[in-house]
């Protein structure tokens, strides 16, 4: 499963799917982000400050069928997008193997992998 704003993460997801023959689920926000980079920066920083939980437009009906879940996202200022928190709130992923990966233009990961571990309750 993945969230991709610009398409970079989606490209990685397609390669993972090709190599693992896995299913793909794209997290689609109910409110679409702007195509304008500066507007997205403002919106995303506000979401992070407010610890927002943007709504997800689509759902995974058969999440219990998956033992391993690849989680892809863009790295936004050392943090995963807040919509991933929504995803982790909505689905119980404990007792599964979570393989997180992210794309980044220049931000470092900081503690993103630890955040996922806490949120998912590995």
């Amino acid at each position: 499963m993945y969230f991709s704003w610009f398409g970079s993460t989606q490209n990685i997801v397609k390669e993972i799917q090709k190599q693992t023959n896995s299913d793909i689920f794209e997290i689609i926000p109910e409110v679409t982000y702007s195509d304008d980079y500066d507007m997205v920066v403002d919106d995303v920083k506000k979401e992070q400050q407010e610890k927002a939980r943007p709504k997800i437009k689509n759902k995974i009906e058969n999440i219990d069928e998956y033992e391993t879940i690849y989680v892809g996202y863009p790295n936004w200022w050392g943090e995963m997008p807040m919509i991933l928190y929504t995803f982790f709130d909505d689905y119980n992923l404990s007792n599964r193997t979570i393989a997180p990966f992210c794309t980044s233009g220049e931000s470092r990961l900081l503690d993103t992998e630890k955040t996922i571990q806490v949120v998912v309750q590995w």
Side-chain angles (χ1 to χ4, degrees), residues 67-121:
E67 293 178 16
T68 301
I69 299 174
Y70 294 88
V71 178
Y73 55 90
N75 181 8
W76 286 348
W77 303 277
E79 176 67 89
M80 63 185 172
M82 299 310 291
I83 200 162
L84 264 72
Y85 286 90
T86 305
F87 180 85
F88 291 132
D89 288 348
D90 290 350
Y91 296 96
N92 179 358
L93 301 181
S94 58
N95 300 319
R96 290 182 174 79
T97 300
I98 307 299
F101 65 95
C102 69
T103 55
S104 176
E106 56 189 61
S107 298
R108 296 180 312 143
L109 276 177
L110 299 178
D111 290 328
T112 307
E113 69 279 1
K114 291 178 186 172
T115 300
I116 293 172
Q117 188 174 16
V118 169
V119 172
V120 173
Q121 299 175 0

Side-chain angles (χ1 to χ4, degrees), residues 17-76:
Q17 181 193 35
K18 190 167 38 171
Q19 291 184 27
T20 63
N21 195 32
S22 56
D23 294 336
I24 293 179
F25 175 78
E26 178 182 7
I27 296 174
I28 300 172
E30 276 192 9
V31 177
T32 305
Y33 289 98
S34 171
D35 290 337
D36 180 88
Y37 178 79
D38 293 327
M39 288 183 70
V40 170
V41 168
D42 292 342
D43 291 343
V44 167
K45 287 188 176 188
K46 183 178 178 186
E47 284 181 0
Q48 287 178 339
Q49 289 170 350
E50 295 175 355
K51 301 198 182 306
R53 295 298 192 266
K55 292 187 179 185
I56 298 174
K57 188 177 193 175
N58 51 342
K59 301 244 184 260
I60 298 177
E61 300 300 329
N62 56 345
I63 191 82
D64 293 333
E65 295 177 14
Y66 299 98
E67 293 178 16
T68 301
I69 299 174
Y70 294 88
V71 178
Y73 55 90
N75 181 8
W76 286 348

